[in-house]
Amino acid sequence: MKGDRGGRLTLIIPLILALTHFIHNNVVLGASSSSFTPSDNYLINCGSPDNAVLDDGRTFKSDPQSSSYLSTDEDILTSINSFPNNNSSSFLPLHLTARIFHHVSMYRFLINKPGRHWIRLYFYPLPHPTYNLTSATFTVTTDDIVLLHGFSVKDSSKIVFKEYLINITSDKITLKFSPMKNSVAFINAIEFVSAPEDLISDSASAVSPVGEFNGLNGYALEVSYRLNIGGPAITPKNDTLSRTWQPDDPFMKFPEGAKNVTVPTDLITYPKGGATPLIAPYWVYATVDQMADSGTSDPNFNLTWMMNVDPSFSYLIRLHFCDIVSKGLNELYFNVYVNGIIGVSGLDLSSITSGLAIPYYQDFVLNASAILNGSVVIQVGPTSNLHSSMPNAILNGLEVMKMSNSAGSLDGLFSSDGSYKGINHGPNVTTKVAAGVGLALGATALLVLLIGILRRQKRPNGYQKQKTFSSWLLPLNSTQCSFLSSKSKSTTFSSIINPGLNLGRCFTLNELCNATKNFDEKAVVGVGGFGKVYLGELEDGTTVAIKRGNPSSSQGINEFQTEIHLLSKLRHRHLVSLIGYCDEQSEMILVYEYMANGPLRDHLYGSTLPTLSWRQRLEICIGSARGLHYLHTGSTQGIIHRDVKTTNILLDENFVAKVSDFGLSKAGPASLDQTHVSTAVKGSFGYLDPEYFRRQQLTEKSDVYSFGVVLFEVLCARPALDPALPREQVNLAEWAKQQNAKGAIHKIIDHNIDGTISQESLMKYVEAAEKCLAEYGVDRPSMGDVLWNLEYALQLQGNSSASSSDDHRSDGDENDENNTKIERPGESHSKDTKDDHTSDDSGVVLGNPMFLENFQGR
Ligand SMILES: *[C@@H]1O[C@H](CO)[C@@H](O)[C@H](O)[C@H]1NC(C)=O
Ligand SMILES: *[C@@H]1O[C@H](CO)[C@@H](O)[C@H](O)[C@H]1NC(C)=O
Ligand SMILES: *[C@@H]1O[C@H](CO)[C@@H](O)[C@H](O)[C@H]1NC(C)=O
Ligand SMILES: *[C@@H]1O[C@H](CO)[C@@H](O)[C@H](O)[C@H]1NC(C)=O
Ligand SMILES: *[C@@H]1O[C@H](CO)[C@@H](O)[C@H](O)[C@H]1NC(C)=O
Ligand SMILES: *[C@@H]1O[C@H](CO)[C@@H](O)[C@H](O)[C@H]1NC(C)=O
Ligand SMILES: *[C@@H]1O[C@H](CO)[C@@H](O)[C@H](O)[C@H]1NC(C)=O
Ligand SMILES: *[C@@H]1O[C@H](CO)[C@@H](O)[C@H](O)[C@H]1NC(C)=O
Ligand SMILES: *[C@@H]1O[C@H](CO)[C@@H](O)[C@H](O)[C@H]1NC(C)=O
């Protein structure tokens, strides 16, 4: 009897603890609901031109659609390489693309509702011809938490998934990627999603010393392990909060001692308070490991799970229980140990939940000081001597979450501002010095770079304005519209904009501030390496697109320079052109006419815009082909666009197509004996010339290839790359070629126009498109040839089809000509070029550019 009382005593205290926990939850949680709609929900398929839809129905936004969150100095430097090693079952469409950063780059998200948020990061080091992502080393931080420090994925076949739960109290958050020196950073996909308010409460049971732990809200958490014990993996599709639960087998010590039990999920009843389907889904509670019925001498042992952890951190451990094994109430009593320390003594589930098959969970905080062996060990075992019933113990689910340390870090001892928070003062001093030296070196490197640019820009007569590039170093955001100091006279564009360039009207900063409501973030329609693009309205009511360069970005400067130089030299009806610029204060701003009908892609798919007729599509293709043909042949050197795609073909109010975005463009081979330019591969995949990709040698034929993809995109009204489709259909270029070879091209035509295309017109068009996609550049036609074939296709359509004349939106003599006269490519060349110069001279221009992402970024 005495022993019994002792046993009861130890039982009563934890029971009271457990009960208060239970009551607390009861009050807080109220009615449980099994579905949760996050107030903040940002899902990004980084580096991808297209959305990705996962099998759980969630859509990850493409790069263009998410560009407004991103603030970076980069181009899209992404790679997709056939199909990488996707043997792993966790391989997702998200892993097919990545975004690569050379410089510190940030995603910024606005928060609708403060509280705990998931940050989920997907890393897979895709093969890339220029960048070795397995050697990429970088740091990822939020405003005040270090998520990863000096992180890298060294194994090229490894998929790394990181999951955090961060309590956010402000109205926005920055997710910052900082590459280490001589390295890049990369990311394949990002989730930033609200978590339910009551998912993590502020208190838990402290294990060592035993007691109550309060203040969990102050800690950032990283999910280290989440196990569905005794059951299969649970994928995001089957979880209420898109979580993944692993099977427990790899962590089970002495598996022979365990027996799994599964019951139908409809037997599980969530309590009125406490566990909800959001805490863990039915499938976690419907499977369990219990002690195997050894039937032998010593039934007294523990079920033991052991997981490796970083012993310098404390951990929040959540254990899920649901008695689906007992036949009656009060049959099951067992002890719970965390790292050998008793967590609950004599846990009696049925008296807590007043029933069987009712979920229950309990949280423990394990202090780092109690982690002796680099592992978290969870044990459940029978309570001795208490009851006569069969000794047994169960566990249904297990979560282990790392708690942030005093540096506000989940990885190492550096805090998010870069300072070292170790106990030892030595490293503190050294790192600061090192950081200082690093900064100084960085600044020097930047100066050298800028001087280099400056030199290049210097005019032959020695003309050079003062206060040039130093002002580019000022951060973009520090320039307020409200004050116009005397400094405003300093010309910052000066070394780029020289009086010889024809850049149109010179705007004052004030005018542009008014046009954009002081560069209101709401007016941002796109973000890229150069800075941001705003939609603005001039005093006279004209809508314009305003591109404001980011002066702190050398990459941005380069793209700006490229664009300015090209635009000042090129004038063509089918190329974007400039209205004006502003170089007041430290600004570099370009103003373009607004393209009322936006990117071509939006008129093909993914929107509710009316379908374009075949004739309209042909005219748009002809217009873009003219623009490209002019680029290739219109100047002495020839210019390669490098990023031809349907988002870079913009349509004005009359559906006249104009090629935009010359940020990546490159001058063609300088001398005649040179046939290509060697360069790092840039561009957008799905459109990327495979030969260029392989050999990194750029020719005009790379644009021709991309244009071929555009032609099929126009015909089939689907993205160039759609990872959601079956493998053979993912890449449009390959799929179309394959279908055409089978004589089945009609099967993949946009069904909206399928019946309206004349057979001859279609044949001609497909023939032209297919030739563009030839494996080798030499086998591809010139843009002039393509143009000629498209015009022919239009004529063939005109002769046979009864298309309405409304379709024909031609508003210029060029197009009328197209319909009446077919020229041989050779003639077409010279005539075209001549036309262009005419339009240049007559100053007709002021066409209409807009950057690719701009509309989509909205
Ligand atoms: C992937 O699967 C293929 C074929 O099953 C196999 O040859 C290859 O070794 C696997 N790769 C890895 C890294 O497991
Ligand atoms: C890789 O993925 C593709 C498309 O999803 C599939 O066809 C292929 O069989 C996969 N390869 C492996 C080794 O799983
Ligand atoms: C987040 O932190 C704030 C301030 O510490 C606290 O008031 C709030 O309850 C926390 N929210 C959650 C969901 O932890
Ligand atoms: C990439 O870097 C890793 C480690 O730095 C190296 O082992 C690997 O061989 C490199 N791969 C390539 C393709 O250069
Ligand atoms: C359950 O146990 C059986 C054998 O006892 C085993 O074959 C099965 O894989 C286990 N199921 C799970 C989900 O662990
Ligand atoms: C996931 O849910 C489906 C039904 O939605 C069910 O058939 C399947 O068994 C579930 N998977 C697991 C692992 O529970
Ligand atoms: C179960 O584990 C605990 C802690 O490690 C230990 O104290 C206890 O003796 C074990 N029980 C049995 C029956 O082995
Ligand atoms: C762990 O214990 C140490 C001292 O014992 C204490 O300073 C620290 O705050 C504890 N950490 C947590 C997360 O409880
Ligand atoms: C530490 O781990 C080793 C090997 O896993 C084991 O033999 C040892 O008993 C452990 N020590 C403690 C104190 O848990």
Side-chain angles (χ1 to χ4, degrees):
M1 242 359 234
K2 262 192 175 168
D4 224 345
R5 252 162 82 193
R8 285 239 163 87
L9 264 182
T10 50
L11 169 67
I12 286 163
I13 299 162
L15 253 187
I16 291 169
L17 272 181
L19 279 174
T20 37
H21 187 75
F22 175 56
I23 290 162
H24 167 79
N25 283 337
N26 229 340
V27 175
V28 177
L29 282 172
S32 67
S33 108
S34 62
S35 73
F36 171 71
T37 311
S39 1
D40 298 305
N41 194 10
Y42 298 91
L43 307 176
I44 304 181
N45 186 13
C46 301
S48 169
D50 298 300
N51 291 347
V53 182
L54 301 192
D55 68 350
D56 58 8
R58 289 181 301 160
T59 301
F60 282 65
K61 280 191 183 164
S62 67
D63 243 13
Q65 283 195 8
S66 52
S67 62
S68 61
Y69 310 128
L70 180 62
S71 141
T72 178
D73 292 353
E74 312 290 344
D75 313 322
I76 302 181
L77 283 175
T78 33
S79 102
I80 174 159
N81 216 10
S82 57
F83 276 82
N85 171 19
N86 54 345
N87 289 12
S88 162
S89 62
S90 39
F91 195 89
L92 298 169
L94 302 175
H95 293 117
L96 288 173
T97 63
R99 182 135 191 158
I100 300 173
F101 305 112
H102 293 81
H103 309 285
V104 173
S105 299
M106 283 168 279
Y107 283 89
R108 290 207 179 84
F109 304 112
L110 295 180
I111 310 290
N112 288 319
K113 198 167 162 215
R116 289 265 178 201
H117 285 68
W118 303 108
I119 296 177
R120 297 186 174 119
L121 304 176
Y122 296 76
F123 299 100
Y124 175 66
L126 282 162
H128 189 287
T130 317
Y131 303 99
N132 184 350
L133 295 188
T134 54
S135 60
T137 309
F138 54 99
T139 290
V140 184
T141 55
T142 69
D143 306 80
D144 42 19
I145 305 288
V146 175
L147 305 181
L148 292 165
H149 181 84
F151 169 76
S152 60
V153 187
K154 299 234 163 56
D155 180 349
S156 64
S157 65
K158 198 160 164 199
I159 289 168
V160 175
F161 176 69
K162 293 280 178 181
E163 184 174 30
Y164 305 91
L165 254 180
I166 303 222
N167 185 2
I168 291 160
T169 46
S170 71
D171 59 354
K172 57 178 181 301
I173 184 189
T174 307
L175 192 60
K176 186 157 113 186
F177 292 83
S178 315
M180 294 285 165
K181 219 175 150 202
N182 298 327
S183 176
V184 295
F186 73 94
I187 179 75
N188 302 68
I190 299 173
E191 285 181 44
F192 180 76
V193 181
S194 305
E197 251 170 70
D198 307 303
L199 188 63
I200 307 287
S201 75
D202 191 48
S203 56
S205 312
V207 175
S208 155
V210 178
E212 173 102 348
F213 184 95
N214 289 304
L216 269 176
N217 283 345
Y219 291 84
L221 302 172
E222 176 186 346
V223 177
S224 305
Y225 297 94
R226 190 188 284 124
L227 309 181
N228 178 26
I229 293 177
I234 299 172
T235 59
K237 185 174 154 192
N238 278 22
D239 185 76
T240 42
L241 299 173
S242 306
R243 289 166 296 203
T244 301
W245 302 72
Q246 284 177 272
D248 68 306
D249 316 69
F251 310 101
M252 181 81 190
K253 300 277 134 193
F254 187 50
E256 301 78 8
K259 193 172 89 182
N260 61 47
V261 175
T262 303
V263 299
T265 51
D266 53 12
L267 285 187
I268 307 296
T269 317
Y270 283 93
K272 291 254 160 47
T276 67
L278 298 183
I279 295 293
Y282 286 98
W283 290 289
V284 169
Y285 293 114
T287 62
V288 74
D289 265 357
Q290 65 171 343
M291 291 171 67
D293 188 3
S294 59
T296 53
S297 51
D298 187 11
N300 257 354
F301 61 93
N302 290 320
L303 296 179
T304 305
W305 292 266
M306 188 163 134
M307 290 137 292
N308 294 333
V309 293
D310 180 341
S312 55
F313 288 84
S314 296
Y315 288 82
L316 172 64
I317 294 163
R318 174 167 288 183
L319 303 180
H320 298 270
F321 303 98
C322 185
D323 185 355
I324 52 175
V325 301
S326 296
K327 301 273 179 290
L329 297 181
N330 305 321
E331 279 180 12
L332 181 67
Y333 295 85
F334 58 96
N335 294 336
V336 177
Y337 306 90
V338 178
N339 279 33
I341 303 158
I342 188 111
V344 188
S345 172
L347 180 61
D348 178 358
L349 288 172
S350 58
S351 67
I352 293 174
T353 59
S354 324
L356 296 176
I358 299 178
Y360 172 74
Y361 71 98
Q362 195 167 343
D363 291 341
F364 301 89
V365 168
L366 176 65
N367 194 298
S369 60
I371 303 176
L372 301 174
N373 224 358
S375 47
V376 165
V377 180
I378 306 297
Q379 289 170 296
V380 293
T383 311
S384 51
N385 303 334
L386 255 180
H387 290 270
S388 53
S389 60
M390 278 285 290
N392 200 359
I394 62 164
L395 188 60
N396 301 65
L398 167 58
E399 292 173 86
V400 177
M401 291 172 259
K402 193 196 264 183
M403 293 162 66
S404 55
N405 61 19
S406 57
S409 173
L410 286 159
D411 190 5
L413 289 167
F414 288 89
S415 53
S416 61
D417 62 8
S419 60
Y420 183 76
K421 293 283 163 63
I423 310 116
N424 190 336
H425 281 265
N428 199 354
V429 177
T430 351
T431 36
K432 280 217 171 115
V433 170
V437 170
L439 262 181
L441 281 177
T444 317
L446 197 56
L447 266 181
V448 168
L449 177 77
L450 290 178
I451 290 166
I453 295 173
L454 199 63
R455 290 246 168 88
R456 279 221 311 272
Q457 294 306 313
K458 216 162 120 181
R459 280 160 47 100
N461 62 5
Y463 169 85
Q464 187 189 333
K465 289 196 188 166
Q466 285 167 347
K467 286 196 173 180
T468 48
F469 273 92
S470 59
S471 43
W472 293 58
L473 289 168
L474 292 175
L476 177 65
N477 294 335
S478 69
T479 322
Q480 286 296 324
C481 289
S482 42
F483 69 82
L484 283 172
S485 67
S486 58
K487 272 189 190 159
S488 63
K489 292 218 174 63
S490 73
T491 355
T492 55
F493 255 152
S494 52
S495 41
I496 286 181
I497 300 180
N498 55 52
L501 295 182
N502 172 13
L503 290 175
R505 176 175 157 197
C506 175
F507 288 89
T508 66
L509 185 53
N510 223 346
E511 275 177 289
L512 298 183
C513 280
N514 290 340
T516 54
K517 302 208 172 67
N518 285 347
F519 293 99
D520 187 354
E521 285 295 305
K522 289 195 199 97
V524 173
V525 289
V527 182
F530 49 79
K532 290 180 177 168
V533 177
Y534 301 81
L535 211 58
E537 193 178 314
L538 299 181
E539 263 161 37
D540 64 3
T542 322
T543 310
V544 291
I546 297 175
K547 186 157 76 175
R548 188 188 200 192
N550 179 352
S552 63
S553 138
S554 58
Q555 179 106 31
I557 294 175
N558 289 338
E559 282 196 17
F560 238 84
Q561 269 186 286
T562 312
E563 179 117 344
I564 287 171
H565 278 276
L566 290 180
L567 286 175
S568 71
K569 276 189 278 186
L570 303 170
R571 287 286 192 252
H572 191 271
R573 183 182 145 73
H574 293 290
L575 296 185
V576 297
S577 49
L578 215 52
I579 291 182
Y581 68 101
C582 167
D583 66 342
E584 238 174 74
Q585 296 193 35
S586 7
E587 297 286 353
M588 33 180 192
I589 303 178
L590 296 178
V591 181
Y592 308 89
E593 195 174 322
Y594 176 64
M595 293 289 282
N597 276 310
L600 168 59
R601 175 186 293 192
D602 290 358
H603 297 267
L604 296 174
Y605 50 86
S607 80
T608 52
L609 295 170
T611 305
L612 295 172
S613 70
W614 180 236
R615 180 178 283 278
Q616 275 176 308
R617 292 182 200 206
L618 280 174
E619 281 170 358
I620 288 164
C621 292
I622 289 169
S624 342
R626 271 176 190 276
L628 288 174
H629 175 51
Y630 171 68
L631 267 189
H632 291 175
T633 58
S635 72
T636 40
Q637 207 173 343
I639 286 157
I640 303 167
H641 184 284
R642 281 221 286 182
D643 204 9
V644 175
K645 54 184 175 181
T646 47
T647 43
N648 278 348
I649 295 172
L650 304 178
L651 304 176
D652 74 3
E653 68 280 12
N654 295 315
F655 287 86
V656 172
K658 312 208 178 206
V659 178
S660 82
D661 194 354
F662 303 99
L664 292 186
S665 299
K666 261 249 186 307
S671 59
L672 286 173
D673 51 352
Q674 231 182 319
T675 55
H676 65 265
V677 185
S678 287
T679 166
V681 175
K682 295 189 181 189
S684 304
F685 36 82
Y687 298 93
L688 215 51
D689 170 9
E691 194 180 29
Y692 169 41
F693 192 69
R694 270 197 311 272
R695 301 173 56 202
Q696 303 190 25
Q697 293 177 345
L698 187 66
T699 71
E700 281 137 14
K701 296 298 179 66
S702 305
D703 280 353
V704 173
Y705 181 91
S706 307
F707 192 71
V709 178
V710 167
L711 291 178
F712 276 120
E713 211 177 329
V714 165
L715 180 68
C716 307
R718 53 148 285 185
L721 213 60
D722 187 349
L725 291 173
R727 167 71 189 99
E728 69 278 11
Q729 301 183 25
V730 168
N731 185 313
L732 173 59
E734 286 173 11
W735 178 234
K737 275 198 282 189
Q738 193 186 320
Q739 290 303 104
N740 194 36
K742 281 202 236 157
I745 197 75
H746 56 276
K747 284 193 187 150
I748 62 169
I749 295 177
D750 180 5
H751 60 85
N752 287 313
I753 54 163
D754 198 0
T756 69
I757 310 179
S758 95
Q759 193 58 28
E760 301 78 43
S761 178
L762 179 65
M763 299 296 283
K764 196 80 211 158
Y765 182 92
V766 170
E767 182 195 321
E770 164 129 59
K771 278 188 191 151
C772 293
L773 298 181
E775 187 67 22
Y776 299 101
V778 289
D779 300 330
R780 295 175 204 146
S782 70
M783 272 325 291
D785 293 330
V786 178
L787 178 59
W788 188 85
N789 279 295
L790 291 175
E791 285 175 345
Y792 196 10
L794 179 65
Q795 199 186 46
L796 290 169
Q797 177 74 10
N799 290 345
S800 78
S801 135
S803 69
S804 115
S805 58
D806 282 352
D807 286 353
H808 190 111
R809 305 220 182 216
S810 144
D811 61 343
D813 42 12
E814 266 182 324
N815 282 355
D816 290 342
E817 250 174 77
N818 299 342
N819 295 332
T820 52
K821 197 162 110 201
I822 302 287
E823 285 174 54
R824 295 302 316 165
E827 296 162 355
S828 163
H829 277 213
S830 56
K831 193 204 114 267
D832 229 41
T833 316
K834 205 163 137 228
D835 267 7
D836 302 329
H837 286 304
T838 314
S839 72
D840 195 4
D841 295 343
S842 65
V844 177
V845 199
L846 297 196
N848 320 303
M850 266 295 306
F851 251 60
L852 60 164
E853 299 101 331
N854 306 347
F855 290 90
Q856 304 235 329
R858 217 160 149 75

